[in-house]
Amino acid sequence: MTTATESNSAAHNSPATKFPAIANPTAEKSSDIASNINYHAKYSPHFSPLKFEPEQAFYATAESIRDCLIQHWNETYLHFHKVDPKQTYYLSMEYLQGRALTNAIGNLDILDAYADALNKLGHELEEIAEQEKDAALGNGGLGRLASCFLDSMATLNLPAWGYGLRYKYGLFKQRITKEGQGEVAEDWLEKFSPWEVVRHDVVFPVRFFGHVLVSNTGSRKWVGGEVLQALAYNVPIPGYKTKNTNSLRLWEAKASADDFNLFQFNDGKYESAAELHSKAQQICAVLYPGDATEDGKILRLKQQFFLCSASLQVCCQTYMDIIARFKERREGKGPWKWSEFPSKVAVQLNDTHPTLAIPELMRLLLDDEGLGWDEAWDVTTRTIAYTNHTVLPEALEKWSQIVMRKLLPRHMEIIEEIDKRFMAMIHSSRTDMESRLSSMRILDSSNPQKPVVRMANLCVVSSHTVNGVAQLHSDILKSELFADYVSIWPAKFQNKTNGITPRRWLRFCSPELSNIITKWLKTDGWVTKLDLLTGLREFADNEDLHAEWASAKMANKRRLAQYVLQVTGVSIDPNSLFDIQVKRIHEYKRQLMNILGAVYRYKKLKEMSPEERKKATPRTIMFGGKAFATYTNAKRIVKLVNDVGAVVNNDPEISNYLKVVFVPNYNVSVAEVLIPGSELSQHISTAGMEASGTSNMKFSLNGCIIIGTLDGANVEIREEVGEENFFLFGATADEVPRLRKEREDGLFKPDPRFEEAKQFIRSGAFGSYDYNPLLESLEGNSGYGRGDYFLVGYDFPSYMDAQDRVDEAYKDQRRWLKMSILSTAGSGKFSSDRTIAQYAKEIWKIEECIVP
Ligand SMILES: *Cc1c(COP(=O)(O)O)cnc(C)c1O
């Protein structure tokens, strides 16, 4: 067993000369790189040495890059070990890493040399890079945010690590058929990942079930039950143009050899002999296993606890190692105390999924380290911070107390004690809040059949800082969801507007546009100081820049059209307006409004004479995104988009004016093709429901204009790019409750365009599938998810008016190009470097630690 920051290869203290010269990991000349790649192709045992096809070339190239990363990794480890800075542990159930090769080569700043080297070997870097499977250990924005954050932490030279789970399959791979969406297991590890390094020496036990033993001194100990092992896999996270290379540590669940019952096995009882091994495999099988059954719920809770327990054990052990190492050095300062733990360790909870880190840290301090409650509570609350990502009621986690007590009996005791002490505090010092106590409590036993633990409440009570992810979202948290807590702890609540890494989301996914920006700004410093993009504003009317900008955009649009043809068979015209909505399919994101708009557009085009049609702005409307497998309405929306596309795209009268495309299996590498080729993107959620959004930032950075509501980070994007460069429509968050009420009271008068679009679908224009249940969600008058809770009907007319303004604006290409340049110019704020610098300073209190 060893610690979090342990070096990553056994070879870290052997001199580099021990490597065969031919595999020099820090080669910079393209001929040396080529022989390095050859060396790996020859000596890695995975493939026949006779073949050097793109797939083998990918693995050999990745391994050659990995040599270099491991060198940097070990230097980072040794340096941090020496300096011993405070470190952040970022806990997230999801990471959407995407591909790593281009990112690593780019961050190491050896793109050209590697491209040259591969050319010498008869390959193209781009083609090689496409061999890599996405590491898709996430669902959507929250997972991608975690990955952007890791990139920024490394780039800013911060001592900060990501912790997650190594799911064998990710969420799922989306297949589109006539039936709509189908899901198949996504086998990202089918061959193997060249990036992960398994650490057989980093193993921690994680217990489930069992019971609590009370000693005669009153101390408590959790014993019995199932004990599995958490085995660490490290993935290197290189910073941009820095030696600092951090880790993403992914835990895998294992059972030990002792748990294999050889006796039973030899007796022919194969399944029961390996029972614990199969339980271990379940934990890391998939992200978000179905939770309709009790077993499903237990499995999800096991996953969450597995991440928290293994990661927290690392924190505590690292700290004890520090204590051991620094004992002598601290002469005169007195011994280290656990009270100093928060000056060495910060833990960030990415949403409530890792909430169990709170009772687990308490348990480790109380039961294993022998601290008293007050001391353990003080350490825990100064260590942990929580990020809220949603105000949607169905996404606020509640766990059955019965399930929790069964799986984690000691943690349930601790949670009850936290709840009890919180109540006592209110009764003794905040009697003014007593009437609010029942909604603020951690335990909700109002339904005696189904008592629950409210995870968000546990997080708020136990964290030193709670943050929202965009200004509007943080304001809503303070004024609504967490308002009562604000009156108790006003200083606890902060905002950290999300960001995206400009490396992956501009520099590497659109080299054409990047080169133009660098040329006009006369520096590539914007890649790490994204605010420098404001320097483009002075050239927003410059015709030379316009010509270059348009040609880069066109190149990206052609690449996208090529991709769409390849994956859907639909041919789209790069001269049409590329209008994209890609994100998880959810009713609050209102893909339904977009497709209703497309249906209305199609109907109007059909009604026009050929002469009239010629005046229309040609559009290609693209959709992409996964619907959760059990979310019926979301899957109906996917089906509707595909059905509309099948009719529209095969209508010869219309094909020059409108295409509707569903791009299957949206993920990070699909996004890297779609976003650079986009011109208009839709971020049209019901105001108040999208906490931030991050793809709005990716699109804006790439010079794409947003049509959107005043929701999430849209508000701030509009402020930054200027209101004339944003197509705004729709109700505002503060109007939404009143509008829902009016709707319930039957006061809503639908726009004729809205009625016409729905009627056209009902008429069977897009096939005989029964869309009534979907369309009915837009009717009626009450209840969450019914009665048009998401206000599609209310916002539809202003949405269509905004779309008319888009068509007009696009006809004036000079105006459009100016808007595009100003979008990019105004996107500097949305770098995750800015976000992470704020977390580091205002929440984690950590500082950069640069590897020399
Ligand atoms: C950025 C990103 C998201 C988040 O999209 P939103 O529109 O902000 O919800 C989801 N999935 C992928 C693959 C992404 O890259």
Side-chain angles (χ1 to χ4, degrees):
M1 243 191 259
T2 179
T3 62
T5 50
E6 196 61 57
S7 70
N8 290 289
S9 84
H12 75 259
N13 42 19
S14 29
T17 49
K18 263 186 95 178
F19 288 101
I22 203 161
N24 171 15
T26 53
E28 278 174 16
K29 271 185 25 217
S30 71
S31 52
D32 293 346
I33 292 171
S35 58
N36 194 0
I37 295 172
N38 258 332
Y39 168 87
H40 282 285
K42 217 158 145 188
Y43 291 102
S44 53
H46 320 293
F47 295 104
S48 150
L50 299 177
K51 280 200 191 160
F52 195 62
E53 280 158 13
E55 189 180 38
Q56 287 85 334
F58 161 68
Y59 278 101
T61 308
E63 284 173 9
S64 134
I65 289 288
R66 197 181 65 179
D67 287 351
C68 188
L69 293 179
I70 287 181
Q71 187 124 331
H72 288 182
W73 222 355
N74 289 333
E75 287 179 44
T76 305
Y77 158 70
L78 289 169
H79 186 64
F80 287 179
H81 190 77
K82 195 168 94 198
V83 177
D84 184 38
K86 181 175 180 182
Q87 305 188 16
T88 293
Y89 296 79
Y90 192 83
L91 267 49
S92 178
M93 288 295 282
E94 299 185 31
Y95 292 88
L96 263 192
Q97 289 284 94
R99 290 175 177 149
L101 184 71
T102 307
N103 188 65
I105 297 179
N107 276 8
L108 291 167
D109 201 21
I110 43 180
L111 267 169
D112 292 344
Y114 261 81
D116 268 8
L118 280 164
N119 270 330
K120 287 195 172 77
L121 299 169
H123 287 291
E124 292 288 330
L125 177 55
E126 252 179 70
E127 176 203 22
I128 296 303
E130 280 169 20
Q131 297 296 314
E132 183 172 359
K133 292 200 177 198
D134 273 42
L137 309 180
N139 175 33
L142 174 145
R144 184 53 231 175
L145 182 78
S147 294
C148 282
F149 279 6
L150 295 182
D151 183 86
S152 287
M153 290 168 189
T155 298
L156 295 176
N157 303 302
L158 292 168
W161 320 93
Y163 279 79
L165 292 186
R166 182 177 180 268
Y167 306 103
K168 182 167 194 287
Y169 309 112
L171 191 66
F172 59 83
K173 194 151 138 192
Q174 181 188 53
R175 292 258 164 83
I176 300 294
T177 67
K178 283 207 164 54
E179 266 47 76
Q181 168 179 296
E183 303 91 26
V184 291
E186 161 131 274
D187 199 4
W188 73 289
L189 291 168
E190 184 192 359
K191 299 251 159 55
F192 62 99
S193 164
W195 305 112
E196 54 179 23
V197 176
V198 55
R199 288 297 307 271
H200 294 288
D201 53 334
V202 184
V203 179
F204 291 94
V206 178
R207 185 183 309 274
F208 300 107
F209 304 108
H211 59 276
V212 179
L213 264 190
V214 187
S215 77
N216 43 18
T217 61
S219 69
R220 307 178 89 82
K221 197 123 203 121
W222 182 27
V223 296
E226 263 173 29
V227 179
L228 297 177
Q229 310 299 321
L231 169 65
Y233 284 72
N234 289 353
V235 178
I237 306 292
Y240 179 74
K241 291 195 190 180
T242 169
K243 246 189 201 173
N244 282 57
T245 302
N246 290 351
S247 298
L248 166 58
R249 177 165 280 176
L250 299 174
W251 297 109
E252 187 188 66
K254 306 239 325 165
S256 66
D258 291 347
D259 296 317
F260 185 76
N261 191 324
L262 198 56
F263 184 78
Q264 280 188 10
F265 191 83
N266 286 330
D267 206 24
K269 301 188 180 100
Y270 306 125
E271 257 133 59
S272 66
E275 200 188 340
L276 212 54
H277 290 74
S278 107
K279 285 189 170 150
Q281 275 173 17
Q282 292 161 14
I283 289 183
C284 293
V286 290
L287 172 66
Y288 300 134
D291 63 350
T293 64
E294 164 144 333
D295 282 346
K297 290 191 178 77
I298 290 183
L299 182 56
R300 279 211 196 178
L301 199 58
K302 273 184 158 181
Q303 292 183 316
Q304 296 189 347
F305 182 66
F306 193 75
L307 165 65
C308 294
S309 178
S311 308
L312 260 295
Q313 290 183 67
V314 170
C315 299
C316 288
Q317 205 193 318
T318 306
Y319 182 70
M320 285 186 283
D321 286 355
I322 294 169
I323 296 176
R325 252 188 320 125
F326 283 76
K327 240 179 203 143
E328 313 89 73
R329 285 216 223 156
R330 284 176 59 88
E331 272 158 41
K333 287 201 213 161
W336 279 85
K337 297 187 280 301
W338 278 98
S339 62
E340 291 177 46
F341 183 77
S343 68
K344 286 290 164 196
V345 175
V347 173
Q348 187 69 39
L349 309 182
N350 193 25
D351 211 325
T352 53
H353 318 140
T355 302
L356 291 167
I358 294 163
E360 176 65 352
L361 182 54
M362 286 296 289
R363 186 190 67 85
L364 290 165
L365 296 173
L366 291 167
D367 301 355
D368 290 4
E369 300 307 324
L371 272 61
W373 181 277
D374 290 334
E375 204 187 344
W377 181 246
D378 176 66
V379 169
T380 300
T381 53
R382 286 192 294 127
T383 301
I384 291 186
Y386 154 62
T387 305
N388 174 279
H389 284 271
T390 180
V391 296
L392 298 191
E394 80 267 25
L396 290 173
E397 284 190 287
K398 292 189 174 79
W399 286 101
S400 151
Q401 292 178 27
I402 297 160
V403 168
M404 186 91 82
R405 189 169 291 110
K406 192 161 134 190
L407 186 69
L408 302 166
R410 179 64 181 129
H411 298 79
M412 195 59 219
E413 285 184 351
I414 291 170
I415 293 168
E416 282 168 338
E417 185 67 20
I418 296 173
D419 183 59
K420 200 174 100 193
R421 285 173 184 249
F422 174 68
M423 284 198 292
M425 184 276 282
I426 298 291
H427 289 313
S428 70
S429 55
R430 288 303 301 258
T431 45
D432 59 316
M433 296 303 292
E434 278 176 331
S435 66
R436 310 292 312 148
L437 191 54
S438 65
S439 65
M440 293 165 79
R441 280 188 57 181
I442 296 159
L443 300 181
D444 174 7
S445 309
S446 56
N447 179 349
Q449 253 68 56
K450 283 189 187 161
V452 294
V453 182
R454 297 166 173 147
M455 302 308 256
N457 291 15
L458 178 53
C459 284
V460 174
V461 170
S462 315
S463 298
H464 58 82
T465 305
V466 175
N467 75 285
V469 290
Q471 191 61 56
L472 175 67
H473 169 62
S474 297
D475 292 344
I476 291 173
L477 288 183
K478 291 214 288 189
S479 63
E480 291 171 33
L481 198 59
F482 299 145
D484 292 331
Y485 298 109
V486 173
S487 72
I488 301 175
W489 300 297
K492 202 182 257 208
F493 296 86
Q494 295 192 14
N495 172 246
K496 295 286 167 280
T497 298
N498 284 164
I500 54 163
T501 167
R503 272 72 67 184
R504 182 177 296 265
W505 295 114
L506 179 54
R507 177 64 192 84
F508 305 146
C509 73
S510 184
E512 303 84 353
L513 204 61
S514 296
N515 290 339
I516 293 165
I517 293 168
T518 298
K519 177 182 151 189
W520 284 78
L521 295 180
K522 299 195 172 69
T523 168
D524 66 359
W526 59 269
V527 178
T528 49
K529 302 209 163 27
L530 203 61
D531 285 326
L532 291 177
L533 291 178
T534 53
L536 291 170
R537 284 187 181 139
E538 64 172 294
F539 309 117
D541 287 306
N542 186 299
E543 288 185 3
D544 295 333
L545 176 59
H546 278 208
E548 291 175 29
W549 201 268
S551 105
K553 267 280 158 197
M554 184 49 79
N556 290 337
K557 286 174 78 179
R558 287 190 202 286
R559 183 157 56 110
L560 169 51
Q562 192 58 42
Y563 180 75
V564 166
L565 181 64
Q566 182 197 319
V567 296
T568 69
V570 179
S571 159
I572 61 176
D573 178 4
N575 290 305
S576 62
L577 166 59
F578 277 13
D579 168 353
I580 301 185
Q581 186 179 23
V582 281
K583 47 185 78 232
R584 291 305 303 270
I585 311 290
H586 201 293
E587 285 165 289
Y588 87 81
K589 292 177 183 273
R590 299 199 293 192
Q591 283 93 353
L592 188 50
M593 185 155 71
N594 183 355
I595 193 65
L596 284 173
V599 163
Y600 185 79
R601 175 180 293 267
Y602 175 61
K603 186 158 185 287
K604 292 299 121 179
L605 283 166
K606 289 296 280 179
E607 289 164 7
M608 287 176 193
S609 67
E611 283 313 302
E612 278 177 300
R613 243 178 246 144
K614 289 206 175 101
K615 289 185 227 135
T617 300
R619 271 209 206 208
T620 303
I621 306 176
M622 289 172 250
F623 291 80
K626 296 177 183 174
F628 196 74
T630 54
Y631 187 173
T632 312
N633 265 0
K635 292 180 91 170
R636 289 180 178 133
I637 293 170
V638 174
K639 167 96 171 103
L640 177 58
V641 172
N642 280 282
D643 286 352
V644 171
V647 170
V648 170
N649 302 338
N650 292 304
D651 185 333
E653 264 187 337
I654 299 303
S655 72
N656 287 337
Y657 301 99
L658 182 62
K659 289 272 163 71
V660 174
V661 180
F662 192 93
V663 182
N665 201 40
Y666 180 56
N667 64 17
V668 171
S669 45
V670 174
E672 287 168 24
V673 180
L674 288 170
I675 292 169
S678 64
E679 293 175 293
L680 179 76
S681 76
Q682 306 209 22
H683 304 273
I684 58 179
S685 50
T686 316
M689 301 196 83
E690 185 77 270
S692 163
T694 48
S695 83
N696 44 6
M697 301 168 183
K698 299 168 196 165
F699 282 103
S700 187
L701 180 63
N702 279 272
C704 171
I705 322 299
I706 292 175
I707 178 169
T709 46
L710 279 181
D711 200 14
N714 284 359
V715 178
E716 290 157 79
I717 293 175
R718 181 166 169 268
E719 270 167 24
E720 295 292 313
V721 304
E723 58 185 65
E724 64 288 2
N725 303 308
F726 189 107
F727 295 103
L728 181 70
F729 73 93
T732 56
D734 57 333
E735 294 168 340
V736 164
R738 177 177 58 79
L739 293 168
R740 283 189 181 137
K741 177 84 174 50
E742 284 181 13
R743 181 114 207 183
E744 270 176 46
D745 297 345
L747 298 173
F748 169 68
K749 284 192 202 57
D751 185 84
R753 290 171 284 185
F754 181 55
E755 296 303 295
E756 201 177 330
K758 285 183 296 177
Q759 190 46 43
F760 197 40
I761 296 170
R762 287 201 172 103
S763 75
F766 306 103
S768 57
Y769 181 84
D770 182 11
Y771 279 110
N772 279 313
L774 178 63
L775 296 174
E776 264 156 29
S777 72
L778 306 175
E779 319 289 344
N781 51 22
S782 66
Y784 181 77
R786 288 184 25 241
D788 197 15
Y789 185 80
F790 305 100
L791 298 177
V792 175
Y794 179 83
D795 276 348
F796 194 75
S798 68
Y799 172 66
M800 295 307 284
D801 293 345
Q803 288 289 17
D804 290 344
R805 300 202 300 277
V806 170
D807 287 328
E808 272 318 295
Y810 198 72
K811 285 180 184 151
D812 179 354
Q813 276 295 302
R814 284 191 51 181
R815 174 173 164 210
W816 192 273
L817 281 164
K818 180 176 181 178
M819 293 172 79
S820 173
I821 293 164
L822 290 173
S823 285
T824 301
S827 294
K829 173 175 172 185
F830 306 103
S831 170
S832 48
D833 297 342
R834 186 266 313 147
T835 315
I836 284 299
Q838 291 177 328
Y839 274 94
K841 183 155 180 267
E842 295 159 20
I843 300 181
W844 303 333
K845 323 281 181 197
I846 61 168
E847 285 172 1
E848 67 174 15
C849 184
I850 303 176
V851 177

